[in-house]
Amino acid sequence: MEIALLRYLSFTNLSVVAEFPISLTHLLAITALIIAIICFTFRSNSVYLVDFSCYLPPDSLRVPTANFIEHCEASNVFDQECIDFQVKILERSGIGFESCMPIAVHEIPPNSSLYKAQEEAEMVLSAIVKDLLSKHNINPKSIDILVSNCSLFCPTPSLTSMIINKFGFRSNVKSVSLSGMGCSAGMLSISLVKDLLKVHKNSVALVLSMEAITPNGYKGKVKPMLMANILFRMGGAAILLSNRKQDKHKAKYKLQNLVRTHLGSDDQAYQSVFQQPDESGKVGVSLSRELLHVAAKALRTNISELGPLVLPYSEQLKYGWSVIKQKIWFSAGQKGTYVPNFKKAFEHFCIHAGGKAVIDAIEDNLRLHKEDAEASRMTLYRFGNTSSSSLWYELSYLEAKGRVKKGDRVWQIAFGSGFKCNSAVWKCISDLDPDLRNSWSDRIHLYPVEIPNVSDH
Amino acid sequence: MSSKKSRVSVHSKLTVVPSKPSGSVKFNPFSSLDHAMGLHSLHMVFYYKKNPFGSFELDPLRESLSGVISMYPKVTGRLTRLENGNWAVKCHDAGVRVMRAKVSATLDEWLRSADGSEERDLTVWEDMPQEPNTWSPFRVQINDFEGGGVAIGLSCSHMLADLTSATLLFKSWAEVSRREPIEHPPFFNSSALHGQLVPNKHIQLGKYYATKSEEQFQASVKMATATFKFSNSVIKQCLYEVNENCPNATPFELLAGLFWSRITRLKGPKSYNTHSLSICIDSRKLLQDPLPIGYFGNALHFSQLSLKGEEIGHCELGHVVELVHNRVLGIKEEEFWAVMNWFEAQKGEGGKFAPPFRMYGPELTCISLEHMLVPSQVAGSTNMTSLIYAATFDKDEKPVHVSGHVGNVEGEGLIVVMPSMEEGLARTVLVTLPEKELAELCEDQAILRLGPTMLLSGKR
């Protein structure tokens, strides 16, 4: 075989030398072709976060505690025990009197019609899309990909169609509306866009994350289902992503990692956040007592995948050694596995503001300090649980406080039904101006506040 | 008429919360006078030709209401009893109830054909429940007429506000919606009316209030309301006619005297007894340390004027007007403090105020709103302009009519003398009397010769 090859090569050599002398032009052409192939193979897959905008509800829509309680009573749907339970949870929820509900919920009885839900979605999404596009002078026709996620409201035409209609997007825009995917769907939308941007070059994508409060009030008696009534508030976020080279210099962040974890195969996790009818047929979302345990398990699984990608080797070694020790010396199990110090990997943390207990548990599990969870707690207090958009309110907080510097890494952790835990790691690639108006700007100087254990009303 | 189906149908109800938090929860106690007014309610209706509200849901006017009530924490709170049993407002931003209604008539048709009982449907009439901690003491009702036009009804418990406070709250709302500064910001200070010790000269006064408190009403007589609008020129003419007796009579005194004398005559056989008129005036300016007009709460004073039946029956209008005028002039600060002292003296164990009784009644009561007229800001005009008609949401779109009613009035009746849309001396008089008497009054020649425009008096 080698002889045949040599013979072939010598033949080509001879033929080339004899009949096709290699000219300088040809050499340059071939070199250029090779460089192009190399560039094509190693082309950047970077996803840049150009900017994002969170919905700022008008103050007239806020829900002071006294008002919430009064509406519970006036709706004539709950008995005294249910009202007392909701009041107790609300007082201890860590949610303040500035969080807002859509106008339909301010009616007596609350109006949960389709029309009102569409109105809520339109109100939130139009405001944030308008804000984001006008801030950067972007023509809606230049958006190539549009992804929305809203778990509990899925109208026809879809929410993306609503925005395409309202703003006039191009006819070949690639739109996807995600529904039913829970509070972690914001990260799922980002993940979807990341994959789409691998296939579609030179594209700009817009992600819209929100949850609809209007159609989802629970009118029954089951306590795990009443929690949702108390915790969720109006909110939404629009995120502009791009893989275009020209957007690199004006983008705020670059996506470093995105890790998705799904514990759905475990029954306990699958049933921990479940929309179902109660005994009397009233539909609500049930939050199980084991939720924190499930969330911790999901987080551990997520960081076992994320850790090696972001942690310095020293931490990875310590973690690995701790796992080995645990396997060999069972007594070490009493202390538990070493929790890597994530502060060595990240400067800022955005923990899903699902509730006070969730934030406390994650802060504890990750051995974080109080100030690391400040953005999460303050977002929960000011805006309530806005579902998938809460991570973006938290990032807005950090930006408005001027804490995010160029080179800083931000870790966003989202939890949601499934049970899912999705993480995104962003690196700040430009100097951010804290004076640029965002949803926190009007009152950032009043924060952080001391959140009372039991709020007054 | 009572079985007629109402032309007003309420189709939605919501709560408007103040946009600015009032801070930590505070308890705002009520004064003795506030407690005394507790049985009554106030109902004002502002009629506009053009509806300044759009869909209302996402409307800037809902936002402006939310903004103005941020400055009135008492308005958005809830009534609660303190330890000593007295009432206070718990200021915790619970909000104001707002209803939306449709009227199956045009504005003009309504003003022509509706009567007092139908007009009741334009505001919210709710008795204070036993447990008022989730009851909104202030209620707004927005009534859309066919073909445009709107009537905005404001009702509240009389414990929280008098007609002056309620009007200025509404006017402030209009100012906030026009993005202008509030001309008469609210002043909250319940201890401003703490009784000053005055020598107990006014025994009669004590008896007067004691009588009010003891009055027990039998089966309530059906009352009806009619509105008489008198033009500037007519009032001017009348004042000229009584000039001999009473050179400085105000339109209120003229109209109070006129209606009192005519109504007394109607009452027939009783005309040989003593007839009393209860005059209700604002007391803010009466005090040596005058309260600002923005004082939010009750600052009014009831004063009695009694005449023998034959005096009213036989003498001229001018004489009656003179007597009313002298009575009004004669009300001094001392009298007001004497009343406050009387209320304090009625306090029970632990400083709990006595239960309220009907302050409007049992005799015919006449309310003066002359203090709501202020010199016009228009250069070169010597006219007085009313604060009531200054509540314009759209620039220059004044209300075409404003009604003021008091709830839970029994006895002989109530007369409210209000400024009119027309500036100057023009007045609108709202008369509430037993049905039969009112019907007769509307035919009375002494009144009809003044050519009043009849509004909201039913089909006549």
Side-chain angles (χ1 to χ4, degrees), chain A residues 20 27 32 42 47 49 69 75 87 100 111 113 125 143 153 156 169 179 202 263 299 301 312 334 354 390 393 439:
Chain A
F20 303 97
L27 189 62
F42 292 103
V47 174
L49 195 166
I69 298 168
S75 65
V87 171
C100 297
N111 185 341
S113 64
L125 295 177
I143 305 286
F153 178 56
T156 297
F169 283 48
S179 172
N202 264 329
L263 292 194
L299 180 65
T301 315
Q334 275 162 16
S390 64
Y393 282 101
S439 55

Side-chain angles (χ1 to χ4, degrees), chain B residues 117-363:
Chain B
S117 65
E118 263 204 290
E119 204 192 12
R120 269 179 75 116
D121 295 337
L122 294 180
T123 59
V124 184
W125 290 72
E126 271 174 18
D127 285 323
M128 184 165 89
Q130 280 282 61
E131 284 298 324
N133 57 348
T134 55
W135 180 70
S136 179
F138 274 83
R139 288 137 281 150
V140 173
Q141 185 167 313
I142 303 187
N143 307 277
D144 295 306
F145 287 97
E146 277 173 12
V150 72
I152 307 172
L154 174 67
S155 31
C156 67
S157 159
H158 214 312
M159 195 157 43
L160 279 102
D162 55 14
L163 274 174
T164 310
S165 297
T167 307
L168 292 180
L169 166 65
F170 194 86
K171 179 168 165 287
S172 299
W173 178 16
E175 282 158 353
V176 169
S177 79
R178 289 194 320 262
R179 295 191 202 283
E180 283 174 23
I182 291 183
E183 202 186 340
H184 302 102
F187 173 72
F188 300 103
N189 185 359
S190 64
S191 54
L193 292 187
H194 238 81
Q196 278 187 16
L197 280 169
V198 288
N200 200 7
K201 283 193 239 161
H202 301 267
I203 309 163
Q204 286 288 41
L205 205 56
K207 273 207 201 137
Y208 167 49
Y209 277 86
T211 319
K212 276 193 201 281
S213 69
E214 284 154 24
E215 191 67 42
Q216 298 290 331
F217 291 99
Q218 283 82 40
S220 46
V221 179
K222 185 148 188 283
M223 308 290 256
T225 310
T227 306
F228 300 79
K229 226 164 87 164
F230 297 97
S231 71
N232 193 13
S233 49
V234 155
I235 300 288
K236 203 164 169 186
Q237 175 66 27
C238 271
L239 286 172
Y240 179 71
E241 283 171 17
V242 301
N243 198 38
E244 228 180 86
N245 294 76
C246 188
N248 295 318
T250 63
F252 164 73
E253 287 150 9
L254 169 73
L255 291 165
L258 171 68
F259 278 88
W260 185 29
S261 55
R262 301 319 298 170
I263 292 169
T264 322
R265 243 179 260 246
L266 281 176
K267 293 202 191 285
K270 290 200 220 115
S271 67
Y272 293 104
N273 299 343
T274 310
H275 287 272
S276 298
L277 177 72
S278 179
I279 301 172
C280 173
I281 60 158
D282 184 74
S283 61
R284 286 165 175 80
K285 290 285 175 310
L286 200 61
L287 311 177
Q288 194 188 36
D289 281 324
L291 287 173
I293 198 168
Y295 169 78
F296 198 84
N298 285 288
L300 33 77
H301 181 68
F302 293 87
S303 188
Q304 196 183 35
L305 173 61
S306 296
L307 288 179
K308 286 258 176 317
E310 56 264 24
E311 273 194 84
I312 303 176
H314 298 149
C315 68
E316 278 179 25
L317 176 62
H319 180 62
V320 183
V321 172
E322 191 188 354
L323 291 167
V324 174
H325 172 75
N326 289 337
R327 187 71 198 85
V328 170
L329 269 188
I331 299 173
K332 296 278 179 261
E333 188 182 355
E334 264 183 7
E335 221 184 284
F336 178 77
W337 291 120
V339 174
M340 293 296 113
N341 283 345
W342 187 83
F343 284 128
E344 290 288 320
Q346 307 308 307
K347 265 178 165 172
E349 249 181 67
K352 183 174 174 185
F353 287 112
F357 47 84
R358 283 195 174 75
M359 291 287 274
Y360 294 95
E363 63 280 318

Side-chain angles (χ1 to χ4, degrees), chain A residues 282-394:
Chain A
K282 301 198 171 85
V283 175
V285 176
S286 171
L287 304 175
S288 86
R289 282 184 213 285
E290 289 78 33
L291 188 57
L292 283 182
H293 170 74
V294 167
K297 203 160 114 181
L299 180 65
R300 274 200 301 276
T301 315
N302 189 279
I303 63 180
S304 65
E305 200 182 320
L306 180 68
L309 300 171
V310 298
L311 287 168
Y313 288 118
S314 57
E315 290 298 313
Q316 293 193 47
L317 282 170
K318 279 189 198 160
Y319 177 68
W321 178 236
S322 153
V323 170
I324 293 168
K325 258 179 32 183
Q326 203 174 17
K327 293 249 186 300
I328 299 174
W329 291 286
F330 292 109
S331 58
Q334 275 162 16
K335 265 203 219 149
T337 328
Y338 170 76
V339 176
N341 186 0
F342 281 94
K343 284 169 78 71
K344 288 198 177 156
F346 307 114
E347 280 72 42
H348 308 288
F349 300 82
C350 294
I351 307 164
H352 173 61
K356 201 160 85 165
V358 169
I359 302 173
D360 289 342
I362 305 305
E363 181 193 325
D364 197 47
N365 268 302
L366 295 176
R367 291 190 320 157
L368 298 176
H369 300 147
K370 197 161 168 237
E371 55 267 17
D372 298 318
E374 184 184 306
S376 311
R377 288 202 177 91
M378 295 306 125
T379 294
L380 181 66
Y381 186 76
R382 161 69 178 99
F383 290 100
N385 178 345
T386 58
S387 183
S388 46
S389 53
S390 64
L391 295 174
W392 300 106
Y393 282 101
E394 294 171 27

Side-chain angles (χ1 to χ4, degrees), chain A residues 66-122:
Chain A
N67 175 258
F68 183 97
I69 298 168
E70 208 168 272
H71 275 238
C72 279
E73 294 198 15
S75 65
N76 275 331
V77 153
F78 303 113
D79 62 22
Q80 196 53 47
E81 201 193 323
C82 285
I83 295 173
D84 292 339
F85 172 74
Q86 292 186 81
V87 171
K88 189 164 142 238
I89 300 292
L90 182 62
E91 284 170 345
R92 292 161 178 77
S93 63
I95 299 177
F97 44 73
E98 295 165 299
S99 58
C100 297
M101 295 270 212
I103 186 71
V105 178
H106 286 269
E107 286 188 30
I108 297 172
N111 185 341
S112 49
S113 64
L114 174 68
Y115 172 67
K116 286 289 174 188
Q118 281 171 330
E119 217 176 60
E120 178 192 345
E122 198 183 311

Side-chain angles (χ1 to χ4, degrees), chain A residues 62 67 70-71 106 108 457, chain B residues 13 15 18 78 90 97:
Chain A
R62 66 189 191 92
N67 175 258
E70 208 168 272
H71 275 238
H106 286 269
I108 297 172
H457 60 91
Chain B
K13 180 159 109 169
T15 308
R78 293 293 177 260
K90 188 176 182 186
R97 213 71 82 212

